Amino acid sequence: KAKSQKRSYYQVFQGDMHNEALAELQLENEIRQGLEAEEFILYYQPIINLTNNQLKGFESLIRWNHPQKGIVTPFHFINLAEQTGLIIPIGLWVLKEGCKQLDKWHNHILNSSDNHKTIPIISINLSSQELNSEKFLPTLDNILKETKVNPEYIKLEITESSPIFQEQSTQYILDAIVDRNIQLWIDDFGTGYSSLSYLHRLPINGLKLDRCFVTDIETNQKKAKMIKAILSLAFDLGVEVIIEGVETEKQLEIIQEMGCIWGQGYLFSHPLPPEKAGDILLSSN
Ligand code: C2E
Ligand code: MG
Ligand code: MG
Ligand code: MG
């Protein structure tokens, strides 16, 4: 009896594995088709200068405009895209689309008769795999050539946990980015368990402090002290800091008092579809 029971558990387990694998395979195919059908879009979340409340620019955040499911966030597809290598074509598309959008905004602003003040930056997320792809640098150069967008307005965000910050053999990719006058930013700073040595070793322009630091800043004295220390270290190293995930007025007040200059979060705005971001940009000028 025991034996047959064991077998049935085993079969149930196998069945689950099978379903999961099947669901993943299906999603993988859907992502592939979605890319082909141009169902991916970029949303844009404002980055704010906390000293004068002015818009600095936007972080681009990918969404999947799925024919049945509607707007799907990266949580539901980025991991699988990374596991299957689909992140490479997706990432190259993101890079191109983000730069094209920035170029459009720049042209619009520069060609308009208004006395515009904000020439926006764009901050684009890169995956490690994409950086290691041999297509990355040629694609980047093509985009810069095609759009003639000023590279000084492009920031590339790489998560702190990316192996590229620890490996010598791929550092030339980071150097190549910086050679093109593009800014290099560390994303999710403070979550990567990595040594801080890259801060002085590599040409980093800025840090995006992970939102877990700011969420309980009102009640957690230790986190507040850590933010202060990070801001001070960054300032001494000449590295800029954006605090991510600012949601309340109180959080804003605290980080402003600490002297933080850049912020991003739902308090200012959720990520917006391109037309809405454009409206905000042009009305802020
Ligand atoms: P991330 O780069 O750290 O982006 C910040 C995430 O926090 C975004 O989630 C954003 O919508 C969300 N967020 C912004 N403000 C707040 C806030 O005040 N409160 C809370 N709770 N959340 C806030 P999203 O858009 O779902 O993106 C999740 C992650 O997916 C990103 O984290 C990034 O790692 C990845 N991702 C997004 N777009 C791309 C892309 O184009 N390429 C790659 N490789 N990864 C991307
Ligand atoms: Mg990011
Ligand atoms: Mg982040
Ligand atoms: Mg992230």
Side-chain angles (χ1 to χ4, degrees):
K1 197 175 176 197
K3 205 174 180 184
S4 72
Q5 204 169 36
K6 216 179 208 168
R7 189 165 63 212
S8 70
Y9 282 136
Y10 177 70
Q11 280 167 345
V12 168
F13 179 64
Q14 279 253 306
D16 276 356
M17 292 270 287
H18 185 66
N19 285 341
E20 211 172 284
L22 214 61
E24 284 197 346
L25 202 63
Q26 195 176 341
L27 182 60
E28 183 187 340
N29 279 328
E30 275 186 62
I31 296 174
R32 218 181 283 279
Q33 286 161 11
L35 254 174
E36 198 115 315
E38 298 180 38
E39 288 166 6
F40 290 92
I41 51 172
L42 291 181
Y43 270 36
Y44 298 91
Q45 187 178 35
I47 296 169
I48 305 294
N49 184 333
L50 307 179
T51 67
N52 58 12
N53 222 20
Q54 295 238 319
L55 180 70
K56 172 73 174 171
F58 302 95
E59 176 178 14
S60 64
L61 293 157
I62 196 168
R63 299 289 182 265
W64 183 1
N65 192 359
H66 191 281
Q68 282 89 42
K69 299 175 199 158
I71 301 291
V72 180
T73 59
F75 173 79
H76 301 280
F77 61 87
I78 276 281
N79 279 344
L80 191 64
E82 278 172 354
Q83 284 162 36
T84 55
L86 282 168
I87 193 67
I88 292 174
I90 291 177
L92 296 175
W93 175 83
V94 167
L95 197 59
K96 198 170 221 166
E97 181 63 20
C99 292
K100 268 164 52 183
Q101 180 62 77
L102 186 71
D103 192 46
K104 271 190 220 160
W105 282 330
H106 280 191
N107 288 336
H108 186 102
I109 290 169
L110 296 171
N111 292 332
S112 91
S113 52
D114 300 353
N115 212 349
H116 283 291
K117 292 180 303 251
T118 311
I119 309 288
I121 60 96
I122 192 166
S123 203
I124 299 176
N125 292 286
L126 291 184
S127 74
S128 309
Q129 275 186 59
E130 189 188 345
L131 276 166
N132 284 314
S133 150
E134 77 274 12
K135 288 197 189 132
F136 176 71
L137 287 174
T139 304
L140 186 62
D141 285 334
N142 265 334
I143 294 168
L144 294 176
K145 210 166 79 192
E146 274 174 30
T147 60
K148 299 200 172 60
V149 69
N150 184 342
E152 286 168 29
Y153 291 84
I154 303 171
K155 300 180 180 187
L156 297 180
E157 298 185 8
I158 305 169
T159 52
E160 187 185 35
S161 54
S162 170
I164 200 156
F165 296 121
Q166 313 297 339
E167 282 167 14
Q168 301 285 338
S169 63
T170 43
Q171 202 194 308
Y172 76 94
I173 300 170
L174 300 179
D175 293 333
I177 290 172
V178 173
D179 282 345
R180 284 155 180 75
N181 285 325
I182 292 173
Q183 290 202 13
L184 206 54
W185 281 63
I186 308 280
D187 202 358
D188 302 341
F189 182 81
T191 60
Y193 305 102
S194 60
S195 110
L196 288 177
S197 70
Y198 63 80
L199 276 183
H200 62 79
R201 223 172 3 95
L202 299 173
I204 306 293
N205 298 95
L207 309 174
K208 299 193 76 173
L209 190 63
D210 192 79
R211 73 161 186 271
C212 72
F213 285 93
V214 84
T215 25
D216 53 355
I217 195 176
E218 293 162 51
T219 50
N220 189 329
Q221 279 305 308
K222 282 190 182 164
K223 287 229 183 116
K225 282 180 183 157
M226 284 182 77
I227 298 186
K228 255 191 189 164
I230 291 167
L231 286 171
S232 155
L233 174 69
F235 183 82
D236 288 345
L237 293 174
V239 168
E240 293 189 288
V241 177
I242 297 178
I243 296 190
E244 296 191 274
V246 183
E247 290 183 354
T248 70
E249 290 286 350
K250 185 72 193 164
Q251 291 167 355
L252 173 61
E253 205 177 286
I254 295 173
I255 65 172
Q256 274 175 325
E257 260 167 39
M258 289 178 178
C260 181
I261 297 175
W262 306 108
Q264 194 181 335
Y266 295 165
L267 176 64
F268 310 108
S269 169
H270 280 254
L272 305 167
E275 320 78 57
K276 285 240 171 80
D279 288 348
I280 288 202
L281 175 64
L282 300 176
S283 69
S284 79
N285 275 288

